[in-house]
Amino acid sequence: MGPVRSELMWQAVVDAVEIAGAGRLLDVLDLGGGTGGDAVHLAQLGHRVTVVDPSPDALASLHRRGIEAGLPEPVRGVQGDSGDLLDHVEPAAFDLVVCHGVLEHVDDPAQALDTVATALRPGGHASVMVAGRNAAIAARALAGDFVTAQTLLGRTAGTWDLRSMGPRRFAPAELEELLSTQGFVTVRTNGVRVFADLVPSAIVDIEPGARDALYALERELRSSSEFSALSAGLQSIARLDLPSAATPDPGGRSAAL
Ligand SMILES: C[S@@+](CC[C@H](N)C(=O)[O-])C[C@H]1O[C@@H](n2cnc3c(N)ncnc32)[C@H](O)[C@@H]1O
């Protein structure tokens, strides 16, 4: 087993695949999939994966990872972003869209989720991971930066200024609200890394059994709303509402909203 942090992040993807697929092999879009750590793992499990990312360097690493992993076919990697996604993929083509660590950076998270919804088949699922705002406030306060902590306290994802404040942070209710306004029903919101980023690595790496015990604690705490509100990462797994029978619209999703 690798570092707890990496293992927890990968298990969050596994959770989403289980909810979206119930054992089926899936068409997965990893939007902002970066260097493809998750994508290559998913392809090794037999899922059909497409990565869309604006970074050519990340896509080159994805290609290399696929070769090193001995995949029979490379993971499809496409240079693009949440703004031009539909120039690169068909609408309603995916069972699961993984969008981890991306909404913190985009100008308009609602627009990005709207695009995610368009890429999904009706009834498909999105796994959206974002950085938690409360954890960021706690980190600033514990570092003695009380002014920034107070500034973050007064901000919401909607009033966040990326240029002056850096990557956007979210409260759990904001993430769920954002998903809901784009036609999603949240299946669950988990905390990912409640304590893992706070515990000194000397404890985790040296104390016998500490790594596995921390992992088990994190996995148990992830579904507690009290603790997920403090977590460094928030993951919502959400289902795109099926279009109503009265307004069939197989290609588009406007009827579902
Ligand atoms: C923090 S990394 C996350 C990588 C990966 N999803 C993960 O969880 O490890 C953020 C990624 O989002 C990509 N990105 C930035 N803006 C984006 C956008 N508008 N649409 C899609 N991806 C974007 C970056 O190139 C980068 O690879």
Side-chain angles (χ1 to χ4, degrees):
M1 269 195 170
V4 177
R5 184 183 196 284
S6 317
E7 188 64 19
L8 290 166
M9 300 291 272
W10 166 243
Q11 282 303 320
V13 178
V14 173
D15 289 345
V17 167
E18 280 173 8
I19 287 176
R24 284 182 303 134
L25 291 180
L26 302 176
D27 290 309
V28 182
L29 169 65
D30 194 350
L31 178 60
T35 58
D38 293 335
V40 168
H41 268 124
L42 287 169
Q44 285 176 310
L45 296 175
H47 301 289
R48 298 166 293 272
V49 189
T50 300
V51 172
V52 173
D53 197 286
S55 162
D57 289 346
L59 293 171
S61 299
L62 161 71
H63 188 71
R64 271 197 306 277
R65 267 184 203 260
I67 292 170
E68 283 162 16
L71 291 178
E73 289 174 27
V75 171
R76 183 179 173 225
V78 181
Q79 191 175 357
D81 61 33
S82 51
D84 65 5
L85 180 66
L86 293 173
D87 294 343
H88 307 292
V89 303
E90 293 294 318
F94 296 95
D95 304 301
L96 172 65
V97 177
V98 176
C99 181
H100 288 185
V102 176
L103 295 189
E104 295 91 327
H105 307 283
V106 302
D107 286 331
D108 185 349
Q111 180 277 329
L113 285 184
D114 181 61
T115 313
V116 165
T118 308
L120 279 171
R121 295 182 177 130
H125 288 74
S127 173
V128 182
M129 178 114 56
V130 293
R133 191 168 71 236
N134 292 344
I137 293 168
R140 297 299 193 293
L142 292 173
D145 186 357
F146 307 119
V147 173
T148 305
Q150 195 165 3
T151 306
L152 299 192
L153 190 60
R155 291 299 175 119
T156 63
T159 62
W160 198 275
D161 177 20
L162 285 181
R163 275 133 212 103
S164 66
M165 300 169 72
R168 189 183 289 106
R169 316 283 175 178
F170 294 77
E174 284 173 344
L175 179 57
E176 292 184 359
E177 171 70 20
L178 204 52
L179 283 159
S180 163
T181 56
Q182 301 308 320
F184 287 94
V185 177
T186 297
V187 179
R188 68 158 78 139
T189 297
N190 283 338
V192 182
R193 303 176 351 260
V194 176
F195 296 123
D197 292 5
L198 301 174
V199 184
S201 58
I203 295 178
V204 183
D205 296 342
I206 292 167
E207 287 285 327
R211 185 216 173 279
D212 291 351
L214 174 59
Y215 179 80
L217 176 66
E218 289 276 358
R219 290 294 286 169
E220 187 158 346
L221 286 180
R222 76 191 197 284
S223 55
S224 146
S225 56
E226 289 90 343
F227 283 97
S228 62
L230 298 173
S231 180
L234 299 171
Q235 178 197 24
S236 281
I237 302 171
R239 188 182 64 251
L240 186 62
D241 250 351
L242 290 165
S244 73
T247 53
D249 182 12
R253 69 183 201 88
S254 53
L257 298 178

